[in-house]
Amino acid sequence: MHQPTPTPYLHRAASERPYFSADGETYLAPTPLRDLEKTRPLRVLSEADFAFWQTYGYVVVREAITPGEAKELLDFTWDFQGLDPDRPDTWYAEPEFRSELDQHLFIYGFVEAYHHQLLWNSRQSERVHGAFADVWDCEELWVTLDRLNLNPPNRHTRSRSLIDPTDEGFDIELHWDVDSTLAVPPQRVQGILALNDTQPELGGFQCDPELFRRFDQWRTAQPAGRDPIRPAVDRAEFPVVRPDLQAGDLLIFNGLLAHGVAPNVSDSGVRAVQYLSMMPALEEHTALRTSRVESWRTLSTPDWNGTLLGDARRPEALRYGPAELTGLGRRLLGLDSWKTGEAEGTQGADKAEATDKAEVTDKAEVTDKAEVTDKAEATDKAEATDKAGETGETGGGAR
C-alpha cells in the first residue's frame, strides 16, 4: 500500500509577525504580503513605493549599493570566470559540462560564486536589509546564499536555441516561482541587484505587473488543470514590462509576480546582476542554520537548492578565504541570533572561532586541496545527475 509523503515540519520564524516555513524559501502567513498592513515604520521604501509593491508585485530601490560598489562586483564577476570584458571571443569558450543542467546554467549566464567578500558586502548593507524589512514588516531576516549572473549576447555556445523548448512547466521568459493554483499560495520574495545599467537589447528581468494586480479576477476564469507555473495570458491585455534598473539598484519582487528573463540580443553588451533576497529567519531550524554557517565558514556550495552546482574548474574554497561579517551580517547568516545575540551552536562561548576563521581555513586549504577538489567534484556530479533538466526553476532560477 502506498504510504503518503509526510508533511515537512513547519518552523516558526524568529519574528513577532507569524511566518512559518519548512525550507526558508516559501512561507505560510495569516496575511498575504500584498494585503499586509504595516506595524513598523518604513525604513527605506516610501509610502508610494510600498503601495506600488503591494499593487504590482515589485519595487525598485534606487542605489541600494553605490554604482562604484556595483562596478567592483561586475569586475569580480568577469575575473571569477576568467573572461575578458574587452574580448567577446572569450565569452563563448565552451567548458566541459558535467550535465545538461550545467550547460543550461552556462547558457543562462549563471556564475558559481557565493561567498566572496563583495557579495557579502551587498548582503550586509543596511539599506538592502531595510528594504526587505519593509516588505516583510519584520527585521529578523536571513539573506539567501545565492550567486551572480553575467549574460553575454545569447548566441554561439550561449544560444537559447540549444535548450529544448517545452509546452508546459518552467519557461525562462515568463513563470511563477510558486504554485499559482493553490487556494492559499505560499509567500515568497526574491531580488536582483543590478551591476550595470539596463538597456532594452540586453534583455534581463521582465514581469507582468497587470496580471499580478488582477490575479484573483484572472484565475477564477481559468480552466481546471491549468499550468501552475507558466501563465497563458494575452500580452496585449496583460503586458510584459522590463523595469529600468541602473547600476546599484535593487529590484524586489513577489513570488506570485509572473516574471522571467528576456534574451540578450545586443551586439556586445552584457546583463549582470547579483541575486539577493531576504526571508524571515528560521532560527529554530537547526539543520538549516548549521548548513548556512558551515557554507560560509568553509566556502562550500550552499545546498538549499539543487541547481546550485559550484564552479567545476576551481571551487571558491581554493580561491579566497571566508568573508568578514558585520554584526548585521552575522545575524543575516544565522551565525548570531536575532533574539539572543548568541552564536550558532555555541551559546556565545565560541565567537573566537569565527574571528579566527580565515587563518584556520587557509591552513586547511593548503593541507587538503586535493581532498577538497575531489569532494567538490563528486558532490557536483551527484547534484547535476539528480537535478538535470530542472534549469533553475526555484531560487537559482530565472530572475
Side-chain angles (χ1 to χ4, degrees), residues 68-204:
E69 290 168 330
K71 178 61 165 57
E72 280 189 291
L73 262 170
L74 178 58
D75 291 343
F76 164 75
T77 305
W78 286 111
D79 182 68
F80 184 88
Q81 299 180 101
L83 304 181
D84 187 336
D86 299 319
R87 289 185 53 202
D89 59 295
T90 68
W91 306 350
Y92 299 96
E94 190 173 42
E96 183 177 346
F97 297 119
R98 296 163 286 186
S99 65
E100 182 181 66
L101 172 60
D102 200 15
Q103 181 188 21
H104 292 184
L105 296 177
F106 171 79
I107 292 170
Y108 292 145
F110 286 96
V111 181
E112 299 293 323
Y114 301 87
H115 289 296
H116 190 272
Q117 184 69 56
L118 292 175
L119 278 80
W120 271 103
N121 289 349
S122 301
R123 293 167 181 165
Q124 55 194 358
S125 158
E126 295 278 357
R127 182 165 172 80
V128 170
H129 170 249
F132 282 105
D134 286 344
V135 164
W136 287 101
D137 196 40
C138 75
E139 68 172 358
E140 301 88 356
L141 304 173
W142 277 354
V143 67
T144 51
L145 306 182
D146 215 329
R147 55 196 158 186
L148 300 153
N149 184 277
L150 183 73
N151 190 36
N154 290 119
R155 55 176 179 261
H156 306 315
T157 57
R158 295 183 185 266
S159 173
R160 290 193 181 178
S161 66
L162 297 173
I163 300 175
D164 292 334
T166 59
D167 294 326
E168 59 184 12
F170 174 75
D171 177 9
I172 184 70
E173 296 220 23
L174 202 64
H175 61 276
W176 288 291
D177 282 333
V178 298
D179 185 339
S180 67
T181 62
L182 294 175
V184 182
Q187 304 302 298
R188 186 173 186 183
V189 172
Q190 294 203 72
I192 57 172
L193 189 61
L195 306 187
N196 60 354
D197 297 349
T198 59
Q199 299 170 22
E201 64 272 17
L202 297 181

